[in-house]
Amino acid sequence: MSVSFAFRPRILDALKGYTRARWFADMGAGITVGIVALPLAMAFAIASGLKPEAGLWTAIIGGFLVSLLGGTNVQIGGPAGAFIVIVYGIVERHGVAGLLISTTCAGLLLFALGLLRLGNLVRFVPVSIVIGFTNGIAVLIALSQVKDALGLSIAKMPGDFVAQVQVLAQHIGSINPYALGLAGACLGGLFLWPVLFVRHNTLLLRLADGKTVRSFARIPAPVVALVSLTALASFTNMPVETIGTRFGGIPQSLPSIELPTLSWDTVRQLVIPTLTIALLGAIESLLCARVADQLGTGEHHRKHDPNQELMAQGVANFVVPFFGGMPVTGTIARTVTNLRSGATSPIAGIVHAATLCAIVLLAAPLALHIPLAVLAGILLYVAWNMGEWHEFGRLRHFSNHYRLLMLGTFFLTVVFDLTVAVEVGLVLACVLFVRRMSALFRADPLPLDAEAPSTRLGWSLHGALFFGAAAKIDPLVQAIEAAPHGVQVRLDMRHLFALDTTGLDGLEQILKAVAQRGGHLTVHDPQEQARSLMERSGFIARLAGQGPPAAPASGQEPLSGTA
């Protein structure tokens, strides 16, 4: 059987019948998202232990490739808050070179997943695990920004949760009130900005005409906070740390291509980081695409292609490290902004990348004055919006299995790391699934013949007879072993919807016990899957080789049936 591999970017279909009106809509949306992405890209890179230009060029190159090659109309690719903790840990343990190699290898893995059409497998990750590690990452992002938000005198923050808390507690006396004021004003402004322009708020409408207010409301809140607070700190000469004082500024030129040094020993040490980046990138990008599917409307809206999206993410993650970038994935906040700004095709994402590139090449010197406390405030806001905190309040409505998965993943993400959390979470999910499925299996006794109850036994099997439920066959075997010689056993399998080899072994044990008692076993009405397995294994042939059942007593119906 031949397998066909399809590589067809969504932009090829989106450009069919492309109109001038759509072009202007995509231009406006792309410029808006490009401006929104500017502070976020720098903030994500700095929080990850990298220079700000690493985040900017990741958003530019990665965002361009994801839009050009991806499987969605409106998804925006770039650096994401979910990767901050992962990237910081990799840089701390393996250096920037290790991060570049891990990201490149993760790109190859993501492309292979899409090429082999395994995009839908990501949906098998339980939602409780996704919520658990998302909330855990949000907590870690917020914790990582406490240093800059308070202006603490800490040379370098450690990577793990416990050590971070200890270091912050030791230096809490070195708070910079100016940094705290900037971070607080930024955070408060970001929460307040949307409230100022709600439809029923007439205060601003009294101060200016409605059209002016609506136009001003379109300016993204992070941009307003970044520009206004940077200007305030610069004009008043606040003694706070800025991008210029920590990094020396942002290069006002295109990045040079750097080839990371690859060796087998290095790649072998980076297997776990590579798998983590690939798994998280796949989950984030496809979750983001699903959000866009749910929010999208109109004649140009189409559901995403998960396999094409994974291949695009793979190409982006393979290419970006050669320009000193960080992992690329779909970004929910920027994608939703793009969608709500009127984007109709991947052209908006390409315009977003071009807008960012123009800003970096033309206005890089202005970034020198951006206070790190303001970027910390933006990231604290991102962390708050990233977490699904209401899910903690809803836990009482769900089962203990759900609570264990969500809280366990959350705790492991915060205290240990995301890799451990996802690995343990998936194993725990499998164990709990097996337990739940095994609880669904039961063997109900069939009505016994009143005249010969001990020589005739029967059970109706319900659910799935698999390795997790095989132990429930033991009482049946014991009942047969205790029955008189010549016992006749009937198994009604019409309600058994699944059978695996371990469950089949349980049926073999029943057949063996019946044979030892000189009896006869009949199996009735098996479903297609169970019948196929029993035929292929020879179980039905062994049933047929038992010989005829013993003659029933007067007035009894023979327990015979079709296997």
Side-chain angles (χ1 to χ4, degrees):
M1 181 181 65
S2 61
V3 180
S4 60
F5 301 112
F7 185 88
R8 185 175 178 82
R10 178 59 57 84
I11 193 171
L12 297 178
D13 298 322
L15 290 180
K16 292 179 180 178
Y18 197 70
T19 62
R20 185 178 179 183
R22 291 180 64 190
W23 161 252
F24 282 113
D26 288 338
M27 280 286 291
I31 292 172
T32 301
V33 179
I35 295 173
V36 171
L38 177 69
L40 295 177
M42 290 189 293
F44 292 151
I46 293 171
S48 301
L50 303 172
K51 294 182 178 180
E53 59 263 30
L56 290 171
W57 287 110
T58 298
I60 293 169
I61 299 172
F64 172 78
L65 291 173
V66 167
S67 295
L68 181 68
L69 305 175
T72 69
N73 274 8
V74 297
Q75 177 142 290
I76 300 296
F83 277 104
I84 289 177
V85 180
I86 303 301
V87 172
Y88 191 91
I90 295 174
V91 171
E92 187 182 41
R93 297 184 186 96
H94 305 285
V96 175
L99 172 66
L100 301 183
I101 294 172
S102 294
T103 306
T104 300
C105 294
L108 293 173
L109 185 56
L110 283 168
F111 189 86
L113 289 175
L115 194 65
L116 297 176
R117 313 199 67 77
L118 300 177
N120 287 323
L121 290 180
V122 176
R123 297 184 179 181
F124 292 167
V125 179
V127 66
S128 52
I129 293 179
V130 175
I131 293 173
F133 78 65
T134 301
N135 286 358
I137 289 173
V139 169
L140 291 176
I141 291 174
L143 184 65
S144 70
Q145 297 310 299
V146 172
K147 168 185 174 293
D148 288 333
L150 300 181
L152 301 180
S153 301
I154 301 174
K156 182 175 176 59
M157 286 288 288
D160 63 284
F161 173 79
V162 176
Q164 284 183 351
V165 172
Q166 291 175 343
V167 170
L168 290 172
Q170 291 169 359
H171 294 81
I172 196 66
S174 62
I175 292 178
N176 182 335
Y178 296 97
L180 177 59
L182 286 174
C186 178
L187 192 59
L190 291 174
F191 279 107
L192 184 62
W193 186 258
V195 179
L196 292 176
F197 301 101
V198 295
R199 181 173 297 178
H200 303 295
N201 191 336
T202 58
L203 175 61
L204 289 177
L205 294 177
R206 295 192 189 116
L207 300 178
D209 64 280
K211 184 177 179 181
T212 303
V213 170
R214 286 192 295 271
S215 300
F216 196 59
R218 293 193 182 99
I219 303 176
V223 176
V224 175
L226 188 73
V227 173
S228 60
L229 293 176
T230 298
L232 176 64
S234 180
F235 290 145
T236 58
N237 292 319
M238 288 186 182
V240 293
E241 196 173 15
T242 65
I243 288 179
T245 59
R246 180 178 291 184
F247 300 103
I250 298 174
Q252 198 173 1
S253 60
L254 295 172
S256 57
I257 297 179
E258 299 179 5
L259 299 178
T261 305
L262 285 172
S263 68
W264 173 245
D265 289 338
T266 305
V267 172
R268 187 173 57 185
Q269 293 174 4
L270 295 171
V271 169
I272 297 300
T274 297
L275 292 176
T276 303
I277 292 174
L279 177 62
L280 184 57
I283 292 173
E284 281 287 308
S285 62
L286 296 186
L287 281 178
C288 179
R290 289 178 66 184
V291 170
D293 287 348
Q294 293 167 2
L295 297 179
T297 56
E299 59 178 318
H300 304 296
H301 175 66
R302 281 182 58 195
K303 299 292 185 182
H304 74 282
D305 178 350
N307 298 306
Q308 183 63 41
E309 188 61 30
L310 285 184
M311 287 189 281
Q313 298 287 341
V315 172
N317 279 284
F318 180 81
V319 172
V320 163
F322 294 106
F323 297 92
M326 57 191 293
V328 180
T329 188
T331 57
I332 293 179
R334 277 160 277 172
T335 296
V336 172
T337 301
N338 187 40
L339 188 63
R340 290 177 176 169
S341 299
T344 68
S345 77
I347 294 296
I350 295 175
V351 172
H352 136 270
T355 301
L356 264 178
C357 186
I359 293 174
V360 171
L361 296 179
L362 300 177
L366 299 178
L368 289 171
H369 308 290
I370 297 176
L372 296 181
V374 175
L375 293 180
I378 292 174
L379 278 184
L380 288 172
Y381 181 74
V382 169
W384 174 259
N385 285 330
M386 180 180 176
E388 299 187 47
W389 313 113
H390 62 280
E391 292 294 336
F392 287 114
R394 298 176 60 215
L395 281 177
R396 64 182 183 275
H397 301 301
F398 297 101
S399 65
N400 289 332
H401 288 183
Y402 183 94
R403 297 172 193 165
L404 180 60
L405 276 179
M406 179 180 159
L407 294 178
T409 306
F410 173 77
F411 175 80
L412 290 172
T413 300
V414 172
V415 177
F416 295 97
D417 61 56
L418 180 63
T419 307
V420 174
V422 173
E423 289 174 350
V424 174
L426 288 175
V427 170
L428 193 59
C430 292
V431 171
L432 293 176
F433 175 77
V434 169
R435 180 182 175 186
R436 175 162 294 179
M437 290 299 295
S438 65
L440 296 178
F441 175 79
R442 69 180 192 274
D444 295 338
L446 293 173
L448 296 177
D449 193 317
E451 298 184 15
S454 60
T455 58
R456 291 173 176 266
L457 299 176
W459 292 274
S460 175
L461 305 184
H462 296 255
L465 181 53
F466 69 117
F467 66 91
K472 294 187 176 182
I473 292 295
D474 293 344
L476 279 62
V477 174
Q478 293 169 2
I480 295 169
E481 291 175 342
H485 189 78
V487 64
Q488 298 185 38
V489 179
R490 171 176 176 162
L491 296 180
D492 187 338
M493 298 179 64
R494 75 186 66 189
H495 302 298
L496 189 74
F497 60 80
L499 177 70
D500 74 351
T501 52
T502 306
L504 181 63
D505 183 69
L507 297 183
E508 296 278 10
Q509 296 300 319
I510 291 177
L511 180 59
K512 181 180 177 181
V514 170
Q516 289 175 345
R517 304 305 298 162
H520 190 274
L521 172 66
T522 56
V523 174
H524 291 247
D525 302 322
Q527 295 192 25
E528 183 178 351
Q529 185 271 333
R531 175 189 290 274
S532 173
L533 179 58
M534 290 190 296
E535 285 178 347
R536 287 182 282 113
S537 65
F539 181 76
I540 289 183
R542 287 188 286 278
L543 279 180
Q546 296 178 98
S554 175
Q556 294 178 341
E557 292 294 331
L559 287 179
S560 60
T562 353

